[in-house]
Amino acid sequence: MLSQVFRSGFQPFNQRLLLWASCTALSRSRAVGPVQPLAIRHVRSWSNIPFITVPLSRTHGKSFAHRSELKHAKRIVVKLGSAVVTRGDECGLALGRLASIVEQVSVLQNQGREMMLVTSGAVAFGRQRLRHEILLSQSVRQALHSGQNQLKEMAIPVLEARACAAAGQSGLMALYEAMFTQYSICAAQILVTNLDFHDEQKRRNLNGTLHELLRMNIVPIINTNDAVVPPAEPNSDLQGVISVKDNDSLAARLAVEMKTDLLIVLSDVEGLFDSPPGCDDAKLIDIFYPGDQQSVTFGTKSRVGMGGMEAKVKAALWALQGGTSVVIANGTHPKVSGHVITDIVEGKKVGTFFSEVKPAGPTVEQQGEMARSGGRMLATLEPEQRAEIIHHLADLLTDQRDEILLANKKDLEEAEGRLAAPLLKRLSLSTSKLNSLAIGLRQIAASSQDSVGRVLRRTRIAKNLELEQVTVPIGVLLVIFESRPDCLPQVAALAIASGNGLLLKGGKEAAHSNRILHLLTQEALSIHGVKEAVQLVNTREEVQDLCRLDKIIDLIIPRGSSQLVRDIQKAAKGIPVMGHSEGICHMYVDSDASVDKATRLVRDSKCEYPAACNALETLLIHRDLLRTPLFDQIIDMLRVEQVKIHAGPKFASYLTFSPSEVKSLRTEYGDLELCIEVVDSVQEAIDHIHKYGSAHTDVIVTENEKTAEFFLHHVDSACVFWNASTRFSDGYRFGLGAEVGISTSRIHARGPVGLEGLLTTKWLLRGQDHVVSDFSEHGSLKYLHETLPIPQRNSN
């Protein structure tokens, strides 16, 4: 692509614009074009020179309080640090990285945003050019006077930075211009120094030039004029105004002067850490607040450039005070640099976000640590104590019924007209639902007596060397659920019984219900001092950001729509996801099926709760049943229940006037809609299920036991039934007490996941000074590998 960039050349207009927009605009006594003077609200003096300061209450408002608001940023400054622009050898530019950055800036510019670049790189580009010229000159001179044998001894003199900047500035701008041209975007160069900000007229000229360029949809590329810039003066910031000492301070100054919504500072580190990034215990700070710098230790500056992280933080805080939001992020990492800018603007958790609004509660990272610590304490409790907590929670669900239903009523009123009927039904709580919840929780309490610490296997490896495999909690679970407040106490009870820490992220449509249910859960946990083990995430965290917390979360369990599950499976980075993206459940009605049974099973599977993931979506009919009383009775029943029928290709071919032909045989309707298809045999039914199903729940209806067993053993799904409704695929109906979800995965848990699915194992080895060398060919010990009986735990 770069070769195409260089071959494309430059448009004459762009060349004229490049010259017109350069630093000459600053040196003239008046601004280029009809620039109006800035409205002066406050005039301060420093160094005996009056100048304009930008008031903190600006017309475009305060800085954004949350990352999710960054998508509304209109005017954006992107600052590229020297480490981002230059190669690792500090000679020359990182062309691939620059091309990616230009592409992202162009995408945002073409979305209607106003983009500005503050870039380093002129010194590095100039150093590369000057070294090349010096080497070429020396090689010719030495070849003429000393012969080729001395070429190896040539030494390149130390190159002065200002000379390098002078040699590299034009080439750097030409490169940017060529790259932006590929996206039909014009760019213009502006060079400034600190002195340009001291002179009121020059500042007006600069402001007018930038506004005019933005008005014409041109991307200004700004840089300090390193060819003439004087050395930075330490501590030269006076009366709240930042001095332009490097491109960090330049970017901050421009961002505030231009009333920018967002400043993105790209460097060679992920963001701001609570200690130098090289330390083992260094943690990335997600959100940085003014005043927090006292608790941060700054490391050394980057390998190139004038400013370190301390300079960046200082510039960022100054810009934040001026009303501009700031994000410091890594622009060099090959896995993220290709989308880091667009990710930041989309509100994703990238780098360190500077905010003036401190949340009332803990951050999600802190909640994760609290859940892990609380979960470990929970796992050390006696089984009876964990059961007592769950029993107490069950009692609270019935005792506090009125308060729960009142909170749920608020959710339903706020959701009216915004949610579809099936989702409103899921959102609704009732006295009967709460009673069923309490019953299910007590079942979980009973089954939790023999969960954590259960011995699964004992082996005598050798004399006095015994091995045990025991059950242990997985760690910290993240459960994300939509419109299902009843899910909260169910999942909480399962986490308590299995000794896991729990992070809960509910949908905002159930905020009132979730809040009171979580408070009741923590009240129950408090009886044994483990209140923090279950946390409800109330911050404005995006689900995608939660899915990246691989250092905190051990397992993600989504409970919601198939789209939610797919999004989470796609977003999860390094964290396993337990669940299923679709519930395309099939029922095959065999030629030996009973008429009454088939009709009842189809009605219950499809019509009892069509929005459930275990509802019937595709009905497979044996060809011999067409135009029989059994087939007619099923069709009549579906018509009475107002089920819309979609005909599969083979079924449609048998009908003169068929229902609407199905668009896809792999569809989860989640409503009173059903696909009907015809098959010739049980094997064809199995093949159809494997091709179009989701490995969730599939059923055969037949009186032929041999056919049924063939179906049960050959269908590769999490749940396979004979003459039973698909709706039985449920943790409560399986006697698990409750479920955290239904998994179609083939690893770990499969089907309805209850208490057992939230446990893993560890190995305990007890010896007496055993070493592996004793078991070598000439050693004194031999492996026994004897299976030992598993002791029965005292249930009293």
Side-chain angles (χ1 to χ4, degrees):
M1 177 179 176
L2 288 175
S3 60
Q4 295 174 351
V5 170
F6 288 116
R7 285 198 302 269
S8 65
F10 307 94
Q11 299 176 4
F13 169 76
N14 292 343
Q15 290 178 336
R16 293 195 299 272
L17 180 63
L18 177 62
L19 296 173
W20 169 79
S22 296
C23 187
T24 55
L26 300 177
S27 62
R28 296 186 300 187
S29 60
R30 58 187 178 87
V32 176
V35 179
Q36 299 297 323
L38 292 172
I40 302 178
R41 296 189 181 182
H42 299 85
V43 177
R44 295 179 181 174
S45 298
W46 66 302
S47 302
N48 299 318
I49 302 175
F51 71 101
I52 307 165
T53 61
V54 179
L56 296 182
S57 56
R58 305 185 313 169
T59 56
H60 75 293
K62 295 182 179 180
S63 60
F64 296 122
H66 306 282
R67 284 183 184 269
S68 58
E69 298 172 348
L70 295 180
K71 63 186 71 168
H72 302 301
K74 169 73 173 177
R75 184 171 291 175
I76 301 171
V77 171
V78 179
K79 185 267 176 179
L80 307 180
S82 300
V84 176
V85 177
T86 61
R87 298 196 313 242
D89 60 5
E90 303 175 24
C91 290
L93 304 179
L95 296 179
R97 196 181 300 145
L98 272 183
S100 174
I101 290 170
V102 167
E103 181 179 10
Q104 294 174 75
V105 171
S106 300
V107 167
L108 296 173
Q109 180 82 3
N110 288 328
Q111 289 176 356
R113 306 180 198 269
E114 296 175 342
M115 304 298 297
M116 291 181 278
L117 275 182
V118 175
T119 180
S120 303
V123 173
F125 198 21
R127 182 178 290 117
Q128 182 188 35
R129 293 183 61 184
L130 292 180
R131 282 187 175 184
H132 178 76
E133 292 299 325
I134 291 171
L135 282 174
L136 183 61
S137 174
Q138 287 181 346
S139 63
V140 172
R141 185 159 52 265
Q142 291 188 16
L144 292 174
H145 296 90
S146 305
Q148 295 288 338
N149 58 335
Q150 295 188 16
L151 288 178
K152 296 180 181 179
E153 300 176 2
M154 288 189 303
I156 299 176
V158 177
L159 299 175
E160 205 271 331
R162 292 191 185 92
C164 293
Q169 197 63 248
S170 60
L172 177 64
M173 189 58 207
L175 179 63
Y176 274 122
E177 182 73 11
M179 287 181 172
F180 274 112
T181 300
Q182 303 306 302
Y183 302 96
S184 301
I185 291 177
C186 293
Q189 181 185 31
I190 296 179
L191 298 176
V192 297
T193 68
N194 194 28
L195 298 177
D196 295 320
F197 289 93
H198 290 194
D199 184 271
E200 181 180 335
Q201 186 61 49
K202 288 185 177 181
R203 289 178 63 253
R204 288 187 182 184
N205 292 345
L206 173 62
N207 192 292
T209 300
L210 288 172
H211 275 93
E212 185 68 9
L213 292 175
L214 294 177
R215 186 187 68 80
M216 293 189 294
N217 200 33
I218 295 170
V219 176
I221 299 177
I222 308 114
N223 193 2
T224 53
N225 191 352
D226 295 328
V228 298
V229 68
E233 299 178 12
N235 303 318
S236 57
D237 300 338
L238 297 177
Q239 297 191 16
V241 178
I242 193 167
S243 176
V244 177
K245 298 185 286 288
D246 51 40
N247 278 338
D248 293 318
S249 52
L250 170 61
R253 186 73 182 263
L254 281 171
V256 175
E257 293 275 354
M258 294 297 294
K259 299 181 179 180
T260 300
D261 300 311
L262 174 61
L263 167 61
I264 299 174
V265 179
L266 296 183
S267 183
D268 56 351
V269 293
E270 280 70 18
L272 186 60
F273 288 77
D274 57 0
S275 57
C279 299
D280 292 337
D281 56 349
K283 291 182 180 179
L284 178 67
I285 298 174
D286 173 40
I287 304 177
F288 190 79
Y289 306 99
D292 284 357
Q293 63 266 35
Q294 303 300 325
S295 60
V296 175
T297 303
F298 293 102
T300 58
K301 73 182 189 70
S302 64
R303 57 179 172 81
V304 289
M306 296 179 62
M309 185 55 72
E310 189 169 8
K312 290 175 175 56
V313 171
K314 184 176 182 180
L317 290 174
W318 190 85
L320 184 68
Q321 185 186 21
T324 296
S325 297
V326 183
V327 175
I328 296 178
N330 192 333
T332 63
H333 197 290
K335 290 186 177 181
V336 299
S337 60
H339 46 82
V340 59
I341 299 173
T342 51
D343 280 354
I344 290 171
V345 176
E346 289 171 7
K348 295 181 180 178
K349 187 174 284 190
V350 178
T352 299
F353 172 62
F354 286 70
S355 174
E356 293 184 297
V357 180
K358 217 164 189 177
T363 65
V364 67
E365 289 84 0
Q366 291 170 332
Q367 285 187 294
E369 295 296 336
M370 293 159 65
R372 184 174 296 282
S373 176
R376 285 171 176 165
M377 293 176 61
L378 188 62
T380 63
L381 296 179
E382 294 297 325
E384 295 79 10
Q385 293 175 305
R386 290 192 293 270
E388 187 181 355
I389 293 172
I390 300 170
H391 276 297
H392 188 46
L393 177 57
D395 294 338
L396 288 172
L397 291 178
T398 53
D399 294 344
Q400 305 295 322
R401 179 187 304 111
D402 293 341
E403 289 81 357
I404 297 171
L405 295 180
L406 181 62
N408 185 245
K409 183 181 178 182
K410 292 181 182 178
D411 288 327
L412 290 171
E413 289 173 350
E414 293 176 5
E416 191 68 38
R418 295 192 300 109
L419 292 182
L423 293 179
L424 279 174
K425 187 175 180 180
R426 289 186 178 186
L427 178 61
S428 175
L429 293 175
S430 63
T431 299
S432 60
K433 267 192 177 182
L434 292 176
N435 289 336
S436 297
L437 272 175
I439 293 171
L441 263 58
R442 292 187 178 99
Q443 288 180 350
I444 294 172
S447 62
S448 69
Q449 296 291 328
D450 189 30
S451 55
V452 181
R454 185 174 77 253
V455 180
L456 302 179
R457 179 184 305 173
R458 291 182 67 223
T459 304
R460 179 175 288 121
I461 303 296
K463 184 179 179 180
N464 296 325
L465 184 64
E466 293 186 1
L467 178 69
E468 283 185 350
Q469 184 185 22
V470 300
T471 57
V472 294
I474 289 175
V476 175
L477 313 176
L478 168 63
V479 178
I480 304 169
F481 54 100
E482 295 176 322
S483 308
R484 289 283 300 271
D486 56 326
C487 175
L488 193 153
Q490 287 180 339
V491 173
L494 287 169
I496 294 167
S498 57
N500 284 290
L502 179 62
L503 284 176
L504 293 160
K505 175 67 173 175
K508 59 183 179 181
E509 64 279 355
H512 299 293
S513 305
N514 290 337
R515 190 175 299 114
I516 188 170
L517 290 171
H518 177 248
L519 288 174
L520 295 177
T521 302
Q522 290 203 315
E523 182 179 336
L525 287 162
S526 297
I527 65 175
H528 287 297
V530 287
K531 176 183 176 181
E532 310 297 341
V534 176
Q535 298 285 324
L536 180 64
V537 178
N538 287 316
T539 59
R540 299 171 58 137
E541 298 289 335
E542 296 291 339
V543 169
Q544 290 82 357
D545 293 329
L546 291 172
C547 292
R548 294 189 180 96
L549 301 177
D550 58 325
K551 299 291 192 301
I552 297 174
I553 297 165
D554 299 298
L555 178 66
I556 301 175
I557 304 173
R559 294 286 304 270
S561 66
S562 58
Q563 186 60 50
L564 170 73
V565 179
R566 282 194 296 268
D567 290 344
I568 290 173
Q569 289 174 332
K570 183 178 180 180
K573 304 297 182 183
I575 309 174
V577 178
M578 179 185 291
H580 64 282
S581 58
E582 294 173 309
I584 306 175
C585 302
H586 290 74
M587 180 177 288
Y588 165 57
V589 181
D590 185 52
S591 57
D592 294 324
S594 161
V595 175
D596 293 335
K597 286 182 183 179
T599 305
R600 275 172 49 83
L601 291 172
V602 173
R603 177 190 286 112
D604 188 78
S605 298
K606 178 73 256 184
C607 307
E608 197 267 342
Y609 190 5
C613 66
N614 56 10
L616 177 64
E617 303 294 3
T618 299
L619 179 64
L620 301 177
I621 301 285
H622 193 283
R623 183 185 57 179
D624 294 346
L625 295 178
L626 293 177
R627 300 183 180 89
T628 65
L630 185 152
F631 177 77
D632 294 340
Q633 188 167 320
I634 291 175
I635 296 299
D636 291 342
M637 179 273 296
L638 293 174
R639 186 179 297 114
V640 170
E641 297 289 344
Q642 298 183 336
V643 177
K644 182 179 180 180
I645 297 175
H646 301 277
K650 289 186 66 176
F651 181 46
S653 67
Y654 284 98
L655 304 174
T656 306
F657 301 100
S658 70
S660 61
E661 189 165 340
V662 68
K663 294 180 180 179
S664 171
L665 290 169
R666 192 179 286 110
T667 302
E668 181 180 14
Y669 298 103
D671 206 344
L672 287 173
E673 297 183 58
L674 181 68
C675 171
I676 298 180
E677 182 59 307
V678 175
V679 293
D680 293 338
S681 64
V682 65
Q683 184 60 58
E684 188 175 336
I686 293 171
D687 293 341
H688 180 103
I689 290 169
H690 288 164
K691 185 174 182 179
Y692 300 108
S694 61
H696 190 295
T697 301
D698 300 294
V699 176
I700 183 172
V701 182
T702 184
E703 297 302 303
N704 188 315
E705 182 177 356
K706 183 178 179 181
T707 303
E709 291 298 327
F710 182 86
F711 184 91
L712 293 175
H713 288 91
H714 285 79
V715 172
D716 186 15
S717 296
C719 299
V720 188
F721 301 161
W722 173 22
N723 287 347
S725 169
T726 59
R727 297 280 289 119
F728 278 104
S729 181
D730 176 83
Y732 174 75
R733 298 182 179 111
F734 276 16
L736 305 178
E739 65 182 30
V740 293
I742 295 179
S743 173
T744 55
S745 172
R746 284 163 169 75
I747 299 176
H748 195 58
R750 196 178 187 198
V753 181
L755 178 58
E756 295 292 326
L758 300 182
L759 296 171
T760 185
T761 64
K762 70 177 179 181
W763 297 90
L764 306 178
L765 184 62
R766 297 179 177 91
Q768 294 182 2
D769 192 30
H770 288 81
V771 294
V772 171
S773 59
D774 288 341
F775 295 86
S776 63
E777 183 178 355
H778 302 291
S780 58
L781 295 177
K782 300 294 182 183
Y783 288 111
L784 300 177
H785 292 151
E786 296 176 358
T787 300
L788 300 176
I790 297 174
Q792 297 298 315
R793 296 181 66 168
N794 187 356
S795 59
N796 295 324

